[in-house]
Amino acid sequence: MAGTFAACISLLGLAHAQTVIWSENFDDGNGNNRWYADNGVWQVGAPSYGPATNSAGCRAYSCPNCATTGLTGGYPNLSNSRLIRIQTFTVPSASLFPRLRFWHWFAFGSPTGGGADYGVVEVSVSGGPWQAVSPQYYYSGGDWTYASVDFSAFAGQSVQIAFHLVGQSYSSAPGWYFDNIVFESGMPVLNNPEGWENGIGDWYPDQGIWQVGTPTKSAGAPTNSLGAQAESGTNCAATLLNANYPAYPNSDSRLISPPFILPTISSSPFLRFWHWYSLGPATGGAPDQASVEIRVGTNNWQTISPIYTGNSGSWSEPFIDLSPFAGESVQLAFHVYARSYSSGKGWYVDNVQVYPYTYSAYPPYLLISQSGTNTVATWTWLANYTGFGLQSNTDLLSTNWNPVSSIQAVVNGLNTVTNPVFETKEFYRLIK
């Protein structure tokens, strides 16, 4: 990562700044010239099977075409095939958060005389062996959902991608459909607050189920003054907008936020959000459950809310203390886990807000404050931001920037330099 970041700038709210590296929607009829199947099964065209017909009268996410493991029927038992993009491309720098986003619909075979079937996104580096880069998608996603797959680990390398169907059971199923693929780079943004009135943004589900939009589910959440099943406005996030979420074992999915940095412990950060839920009772198993989770960096998810079960009855606004994670780069997730054979209307989430504020995790911010006779400079402490040096200057018109020689320390997850104040006016910058 290269660049210079001027002092006294705190990036609290940023617009989207994505760059599209390539995209694919299959609608020009030439998709077979850009993709190929290594072992049959995969087709590109207008499906007459699988997903429900949309408002435009087709079964692709956007009409008329998509890629699928069967345009007119389910895939054969024990299928094992990749749909491979022919053209290679170079993955941008990890600091630009390169990622693959795509809409997909999936319904895979359950364990019958073998393991469960699944789909997985894979990558080949310079013609080498295929490596999994996404989660393994199992069972059913319920409807079209918008996935995101991080490619940072392959930054600077020439790669091919593939969508791999792995059949392990003796029960066929409709399969995997995907459409409107975009490989993009650019800073992910956490809108704070987030009510999803402008769409899903940089949030994403890891195993389907979650959608963002205007719910129209019968007997769903109470309607607001606009007649919408959202806490306010018309949009919210929900475990399917127009149907119950699938029963056990099909629903186990998180709606995951983009990464962001919590303020330091002195700010006492906390989370508020509005939610309504009606989850499946204990029928043939335990009751379905929902919870809020957090992860620091790429560590494991931790539950930070009560376990929600049953029916909330009305919209309510929980309070969750985030102080134990102050100063850290984190992601939030709303996790639904079906354990019952009786499904429910689901979990509706709206107006998510972290108080008092958040810092963007990309790129590093630089914040200058004063403590007595010292200047305190802090910036993001993440693996991508190592190697930055702090410089100072007393005149912005001068090119005479001098290194700040104080020792850097990590305090509450932030790289911190404390330096005596020698001038009445001083400017700072980060440079690499």
Side-chain angles (χ1 to χ4, degrees):
M1 181 174 183
T4 301
F5 299 89
C8 302
I9 297 176
S10 177
L11 303 178
L12 302 181
L14 296 167
H16 286 281
Q18 279 83 20
T19 298
V20 175
I21 311 302
W22 57 266
S23 62
E24 174 68 81
N25 65 11
F26 304 103
D27 289 335
D28 64 359
N30 294 317
N32 286 318
N33 295 327
R34 296 184 291 271
W35 301 77
Y36 73 97
D38 66 354
N39 197 23
V41 180
W42 288 96
Q43 296 176 291
V44 173
S48 59
Y49 182 77
T53 302
N54 62 27
S55 59
C58 67
R59 294 176 185 267
Y61 179 76
S62 66
C63 296
N65 295 339
C66 66
T68 170
T69 52
L71 291 172
T72 60
Y75 58 86
N77 296 344
L78 302 178
S79 294
N80 191 320
S81 181
R82 295 178 178 89
L83 184 68
I84 302 170
R85 185 175 185 265
I86 296 171
Q87 187 174 353
T88 62
F89 64 98
T90 300
V91 178
S93 165
S95 66
L96 298 176
F97 202 78
R99 57 204 181 271
L100 182 73
R101 302 217 68 176
F102 56 93
W103 287 93
H104 66 156
W105 183 101
F106 58 92
F108 296 115
S110 300
T112 304
D117 300 344
Y118 65 90
V120 62
V121 181
E122 295 178 334
V123 61
S124 170
V125 178
S126 300
W130 291 103
Q131 308 172 55
V133 68
S134 77
Q136 293 179 351
Y137 303 110
Y138 286 100
Y139 302 115
S140 172
D143 201 348
W144 288 96
T145 55
Y146 198 37
S148 183
V149 178
D150 181 14
F151 270 66
S152 297
F154 303 95
Q157 300 183 77
S158 177
V159 303
Q160 273 183 298
I161 69 163
F163 293 83
H164 188 185
L165 169 67
V166 181
Q168 304 180 111
S169 77
Y170 291 93
S171 63
S172 180
W176 199 6
Y177 295 65
F178 58 91
D179 204 353
N180 289 18
I181 307 166
V182 176
F183 195 93
E184 64 185 18
S185 65
M187 182 178 61
V189 175
L190 177 76
N191 296 313
N192 190 36
E194 178 62 89
W196 291 292
E197 295 302 320
N198 294 316
I200 195 168
D202 286 314
W203 292 71
Y204 65 94
D206 63 355
Q207 285 289 341
I209 308 301
W210 285 97
Q211 297 178 305
V212 165
T214 303
T216 58
K217 198 177 304 185
S218 175
T223 56
N224 59 28
S225 60
L226 299 176
Q229 293 177 350
E231 194 279 325
S232 65
T234 59
N235 285 4
C236 67
T239 50
L240 300 186
L241 295 171
N242 305 318
N244 290 4
Y245 61 87
Y248 175 85
N250 291 286
S251 294
D252 183 359
S253 184
R254 296 176 177 90
L255 179 66
I256 301 173
S257 78
F260 62 96
I261 299 172
L262 287 167
T264 56
I265 190 67
S266 62
S267 299
S268 302
F270 60 93
L271 171 69
R272 303 300 305 269
F273 63 96
W274 286 89
H275 71 155
W276 178 93
Y277 57 89
S278 179
L279 304 172
T283 304
D288 297 344
Q289 62 185 38
S291 61
V292 183
E293 297 176 340
I294 195 169
R295 70 177 171 191
V296 177
T298 58
N299 294 333
N300 293 332
W301 290 103
Q302 305 176 54
T303 300
I304 56 173
S305 75
I307 302 298
Y308 304 115
T309 60
N311 194 318
S312 66
S314 61
W315 285 95
S316 61
E317 188 181 19
F319 173 97
I320 297 176
D321 181 22
L322 298 178
S323 295
F325 311 97
E328 299 280 7
S329 177
V330 301
Q331 288 177 279
L332 296 173
F334 295 90
H335 185 191
V336 166
Y337 177 32
R339 302 188 297 171
S340 164
Y341 293 102
S342 168
S343 180
K345 298 298 179 182
W347 197 9
Y348 295 60
V349 178
D350 204 357
N351 294 329
V352 178
Q353 186 164 5
V354 176
Y355 292 86
Y357 51 81
T358 65
Y359 292 117
S360 172
Y362 305 93
Y365 66 87
L366 174 61
L367 184 65
I368 304 298
S369 60
Q370 187 168 348
S371 176
T373 59
N374 291 327
T375 296
V376 180
T378 58
W379 66 91
T380 315
W381 182 255
L382 294 175
N384 289 344
Y385 306 144
T386 58
F388 280 95
L390 183 66
Q391 296 180 338
S392 66
N393 196 339
T394 58
D395 184 358
L396 283 180
L397 299 178
S398 170
T399 59
N400 185 29
W401 288 88
N402 300 305
V404 176
S405 59
S406 298
I407 297 174
Q408 299 175 11
V410 180
V411 180
N412 292 327
L414 298 176
N415 198 352
T416 303
V417 170
T418 302
N419 200 49
V421 177
F422 296 109
E423 304 285 347
T424 57
K425 181 173 63 176
E426 200 160 18
F427 303 95
Y428 292 84
R429 71 179 184 180
L430 285 177
I431 191 166
K432 185 175 182 179

